[in-house]
Amino acid sequence: ELQACQTLRQLQLPKEVRPQSWMSDIVDLHRDMVTATAPVLATDGHWIGADVAGMAAEAHLWRREFKEAAVAAKSRLDYVSKVMGGAVTW
């Protein structure tokens, strides 16, 4: 599912004709990862979860959902900060 979203997002087509389904798909995937009760990849603790959070932040921005974009971007930043030993700050 992540790979399909990445492929649709990276199509080199004008915005007007580019498939926008990747936005809904990635936002749904990110929401599922954040709200899951069973163990899943943490959006701030694993590179795949952080990648999903980064793409969700972009999708939220395109959809003008700024608060949700900030939350997703913070998850991505938290992961990068952990990997870089706290060298990156918000």
Side-chain angles (χ1 to χ4, degrees):
E1 186 173 356
L2 176 59
Q3 186 175 9
C5 290
Q6 288 174 326
T7 300
L8 287 174
R9 178 175 158 251
Q10 294 171 355
L11 288 176
Q12 299 298 317
L13 298 172
K15 180 185 165 197
E16 298 79 30
V17 295
R18 186 181 315 147
Q20 298 299 308
S21 64
W22 74 268
M23 288 185 213
S24 295
D25 294 344
I26 203 70
V27 166
D28 290 344
L29 178 59
H30 182 252
R31 187 177 301 117
D32 290 347
M33 291 176 74
V34 170
T35 61
T37 56
V40 295
L41 298 174
T43 55
D44 64 348
H46 192 279
W47 72 268
I48 293 174
D51 195 34
V52 169
M55 290 195 322
E58 179 185 351
H60 283 300
L61 286 173
W62 277 108
R63 294 163 51 148
R64 304 183 61 79
E65 300 166 346
F66 302 117
K67 289 181 183 178
E68 293 87 348
V71 170
K74 179 78 167 75
S75 293
R76 172 73 177 205
L77 179 68
D78 290 346
Y79 171 74
V80 172
S81 183
K82 284 180 187 178
V83 170
M84 298 194 68
V88 177
T89 58
W90 177 255

